[in-house]
Amino acid sequence: MVITDMTDTQLRILRRTIYLTIMSSANYEECAHKLLKMTLKEGQEKELANMIIECCCQERTYMKFYGLLAQRFCEIKKEYQDAFAQEFVEQYETVHRLETNKLRQMAKMFAHLFFTDGLTWSVFEIIKLNEVDTNSSSRIFIKELMLQMSEYLGVPEMNKRFLDPYMNTCFAGLFPKDTPKNTRFSINFFTSIGLGGLTDDLREHLKNAPKQIMNQRQDNVVSDTESDSSDDSSSSDSDSDSSSDSDSSGSGSDSGSDSSSSSGSSNSSGSSASSSDRKKVKRKATKSNNPESTMTGDDAYKARLRMSRGGDDDEKGSRRERDSGRGRDRDQDRDRRSPRRSPRRSRNDSRERRDSRRRDDSRDRRRGRDRRDDDRKRRHSSSPPRRRSRSRSMDRKRAR
């Protein structure tokens, strides 16, 4: 019977020991020496890397002590390097859970590992720098990482590393060339953080992208035409086979075609005769409806002149009727808007207007008089009382 501890007591003891060792060390060399003396089981290297990252994030400001400590462990053993690479992947995927200060310090520690080659640059393949796969936290992390690396390496050295043909697949997400939209997003991002020199290759690719798209379309058109021509050739072969079969059956159908042609000619002659009869009937109907067509000479001219004069008279009469109707409507509208008043009513209105004007004038005069009285009272109340002369007061005292 095997008893397994599911409470992770041993793991908590290990993490506490690593934390106390890191905090009690004077420098990174002493800390690395003490941690190497600990007997770590296989698979516990990841816990050591995780504790170093968490201790770095807990500090108020970034301390180079943690970067040097992580670099030392990555150089000692490959298992530690793999553990830090795995932690980089996990921390980038959950970077949105961290505060901004912790995020910046972690990015600076990983930048130290990258420029000292403690970590391989192949882990950049998890970064997809586009609008869909990134958020604000991940962009801050990438920004701090790239700025810290540019301070240590410089833009030319970074550009040389990123353009390495053997590592080109690892940086395809960081410098995307799949769509022009993602390419522009990457160019704008690096330009905004002051590292536009890293995007020269992307700018050249974006400039030549329309030509490449046109070439691809032309290649697709050529391939389509070739496939269509092959299909046409196969269809022509099948048509030739079918035509040979139809020739054998065509000789039997010649006699039937002769009989059908004779019947068609008889039908056409009958249809032409019926159409000529219809035209004659139409001409007779038009002549009966238009009596002028039967007149000749002066009679037809006089009839047309009479008709034109009658039409002019009718048109003038209709115009007069329309004008009179419009004027009548206009008068009715004016009467409806302003009805006529009797002389007596207008005289009463003028009297009322004059009386109201007199009342307003008398009210204004009364208000002005009241206002002047109030001012006079206020002026008397605000003035200080007069002092009595000393001689008069003395005379009154003596009189008492």
Side-chain angles (χ1 to χ4, degrees):
M1 183 177 179
V2 179
I3 299 173
T4 56
D5 186 11
M6 303 298 291
T7 59
D8 294 335
T9 305
Q10 298 295 328
L11 182 61
R12 286 202 299 272
I13 293 172
L14 176 63
R15 290 169 66 86
R16 187 187 302 116
T17 306
I18 294 171
Y19 176 76
L20 294 174
T21 304
I22 292 172
M23 292 300 163
S24 61
S25 300
N27 52 31
Y28 75 95
E29 293 178 349
E30 179 186 352
C31 182
H33 182 70
K34 290 180 180 180
L35 292 174
L36 287 172
K37 279 187 176 182
M38 296 172 59
T39 55
L40 296 177
K41 297 179 182 179
E42 186 178 356
Q44 291 182 343
E45 293 87 358
K46 185 180 177 182
E47 294 298 329
L48 177 62
N50 191 12
M51 282 304 301
I52 293 174
I53 293 171
E54 287 187 4
C55 292
C56 178
C57 293
Q58 291 298 327
E59 299 292 340
R60 290 186 178 179
T61 58
Y62 172 70
M63 296 178 65
K64 199 174 181 180
F65 167 84
Y66 297 102
L68 294 171
L69 182 61
Q71 177 190 353
R72 177 58 61 88
F73 277 102
C74 289
E75 292 173 352
I76 289 173
K77 202 174 181 181
K78 192 176 186 302
E79 284 76 5
Y80 291 110
Q81 187 177 8
D82 295 339
F84 277 101
Q86 190 176 357
E87 283 293 325
F88 178 81
V89 174
E90 292 180 359
Q91 294 293 338
Y92 179 75
E93 291 176 351
T94 60
V95 74
H96 58 277
R97 301 177 185 175
L98 298 176
E99 298 176 0
T100 306
N101 190 31
K102 294 181 179 180
L103 189 149
R104 294 177 187 274
Q105 294 179 29
M106 185 177 63
K108 291 178 180 180
M109 194 198 77
F110 279 115
H112 182 91
L113 292 179
F114 282 123
F115 88 84
T116 56
D117 293 328
L119 281 180
T120 60
W121 289 35
S122 60
V123 295
F124 279 112
E125 63 185 357
I126 67 163
I127 299 178
K128 307 295 182 184
L129 188 57
N130 53 58
E131 191 174 0
V132 177
D133 297 329
T134 58
N135 50 40
S136 59
S137 300
S138 60
R139 290 170 200 155
I140 293 172
F141 178 80
I142 297 170
K143 173 187 173 182
E144 291 296 329
L145 185 67
M146 293 298 164
L147 289 176
Q148 198 72 14
M149 289 173 65
S150 65
E151 289 181 5
Y152 291 120
L153 292 174
V155 176
E157 183 63 24
M158 287 180 66
N159 206 1
K160 183 179 178 182
R161 294 258 188 123
F162 284 132
L163 294 177
D164 189 0
Y166 297 102
M167 301 288 289
N168 195 14
T169 56
C170 299
F171 306 133
L174 194 60
F175 301 98
K177 296 181 181 179
D178 51 355
T179 59
K181 180 180 178 181
N182 295 340
T183 305
R184 290 192 193 94
F185 184 85
S186 180
I187 291 171
N188 294 335
F189 175 80
F190 283 105
T191 305
S192 64
I193 65 175
L195 298 177
L198 300 177
T199 60
D200 294 338
D201 187 38
L202 284 181
R203 295 174 191 274
E204 190 68 24
H205 169 75
L206 190 62
K207 189 183 296 183
N208 299 328
K211 298 180 182 178
Q212 295 177 1
I213 294 172
M214 290 297 294
N215 294 332
Q216 291 177 359
R217 289 181 180 176
Q218 290 177 359
D219 295 339
N220 294 333
V221 170
V222 170
S223 62
D224 293 339
T225 53
E226 290 177 355
S227 62
D228 294 339
S229 61
S230 62
D231 295 339
D232 294 339
S233 61
S234 61
S235 63
S236 62
D237 295 337
S238 62
D239 292 339
S240 62
D241 296 337
S242 62
S243 63
S244 62
D245 296 335
S246 63
D247 292 337
S248 60
S249 62
S251 59
S253 62
D254 292 337
S255 60
S257 63
D258 295 336
S259 61
S260 63
S261 61
S262 61
S263 61
S265 61
S266 62
N267 293 330
S268 62
S269 62
S271 62
S272 62
S274 62
S275 63
S276 61
D277 294 338
R278 289 195 202 96
K279 289 180 181 179
K280 290 178 180 179
V281 171
K282 285 183 180 179
R283 289 197 195 100
K284 290 179 180 180
T286 52
K287 286 181 180 180
S288 61
N289 292 331
N290 190 6
E292 293 182 7
S293 60
T294 57
M295 296 182 183
T296 56
D298 297 337
D299 296 334
Y301 174 74
K302 290 178 181 178
R304 284 198 297 273
L305 185 61
R306 196 181 305 111
M307 292 285 289
S308 63
R309 288 178 178 176
D312 294 340
D313 295 338
D314 294 340
E315 186 177 358
K316 290 179 182 178
S318 62
R319 192 182 297 117
R320 289 195 200 96
E321 290 178 357
R322 285 199 301 271
D323 295 341
S324 62
R326 289 174 186 170
R328 195 182 306 111
D329 295 339
R330 199 180 302 113
D331 295 338
Q332 290 177 0
D333 292 340
R334 187 168 57 251
D335 295 339
R336 196 181 302 112
R337 291 172 190 162
S338 59
R340 295 180 180 179
R341 297 182 179 181
S342 62
R344 184 177 299 173
R345 187 175 179 181
S346 61
R347 201 177 302 116
N348 294 335
D349 291 343
S350 62
R351 288 177 183 174
E352 291 177 359
R353 222 178 289 118
R354 187 165 54 254
D355 294 340
S356 65
R357 198 180 302 115
R358 289 176 180 174
R359 284 195 297 271
D360 294 340
D361 294 340
S362 62
R363 186 176 60 252
D364 293 339
R365 285 196 296 273
R366 198 183 307 112
R367 287 179 181 175
R369 197 181 308 113
D370 295 341
R371 197 180 300 112
R372 286 194 295 275
D373 294 340
D374 293 340
D375 293 340
R376 194 181 299 108
K377 291 177 182 179
R378 195 181 303 109
R379 201 178 305 116
H380 285 300
S381 63
S382 61
S383 60
R386 296 181 180 179
R387 292 184 179 181
R388 297 179 180 179
S389 61
R390 189 172 181 180
S391 59
R392 187 179 298 177
S393 61
M394 291 294 291
D395 294 340
R396 288 184 179 179
K397 286 180 181 180
R398 291 173 184 171
R400 291 175 184 173

